[in-house]
Amino acid sequence: MRKKDFKGRCEKKKLSKCKVVCKTYDPIQSAYADMLQVDTEIVDIRCNVLIDNDNYTTDFVCVKEDNEIMVRECVSRTHLTKPMTIKLLDISREYWLKRGVVDWGLVINEE
């Protein structure tokens, strides 16, 4: 999750399962985009999806073969204990749960 108008470095990726150019802002998000691209269960990928009227975006919203929606947030392991990170992840989880999404999860680096 990041601010809607995030001004950091970004890598632009053209993914066949994504209708627009996917912008990734860190190595975790970039690596996970590549994983989603080769996952045969995933049929559609949306990157940096705006959350309602908030100024934040969800990293990945994907549609599986069975039309189930899957949401993933990419977080560095070092940020997991930060209060702001926890608050933003709770906002994301609650937002998607209210919309009927039960497959919500985190993507965390190994380090």
Side-chain angles (χ1 to χ4, degrees):
M1 240 184 125
R2 52 190 102 278
K3 287 197 175 221
K4 173 178 69 172
D5 299 322
F6 183 74
K7 300 293 183 202
R9 298 187 127 220
C10 103
E11 175 185 0
K12 296 177 182 177
K13 292 179 171 264
K14 181 64 180 144
L15 306 174
S16 63
K17 296 179 183 180
C18 189
K19 292 178 177 76
V20 297
V21 173
C22 179
K23 295 179 182 178
T24 61
Y25 296 97
D26 60 46
I28 302 167
Q29 196 179 21
S30 180
Y32 195 65
D34 294 337
M35 289 175 61
L36 291 171
Q37 178 65 25
V38 297
D39 187 338
T40 56
E41 189 180 8
I42 303 298
V43 295
D44 185 48
I45 302 169
R46 290 183 287 155
C47 304
N48 306 308
V49 177
L50 189 63
I51 292 182
D52 228 6
N53 293 327
D54 276 332
N55 290 320
Y56 295 96
T57 60
T58 287
D59 292 327
F60 295 102
V61 177
C62 304
V63 179
K64 296 181 182 180
E65 284 180 322
D66 60 2
N67 284 329
E68 181 183 355
I69 295 176
M70 176 182 88
V71 174
R72 293 294 182 265
E73 299 289 2
C74 300
V75 183
S76 172
R77 186 172 298 279
T78 58
H79 291 119
L80 281 176
T81 57
K82 295 187 177 190
M84 188 60 170
T85 301
I86 294 168
K87 178 183 174 186
L88 293 175
L89 291 172
D90 283 341
I91 289 170
S92 171
R93 187 174 50 82
E94 290 298 320
Y95 175 85
W96 292 108
L97 282 174
K98 287 179 183 175
R99 279 144 188 85
V101 175
V102 293
D103 190 356
W104 182 94
L106 297 177
V107 179
I108 303 168
N109 62 333
E110 293 179 332
E111 300 171 1

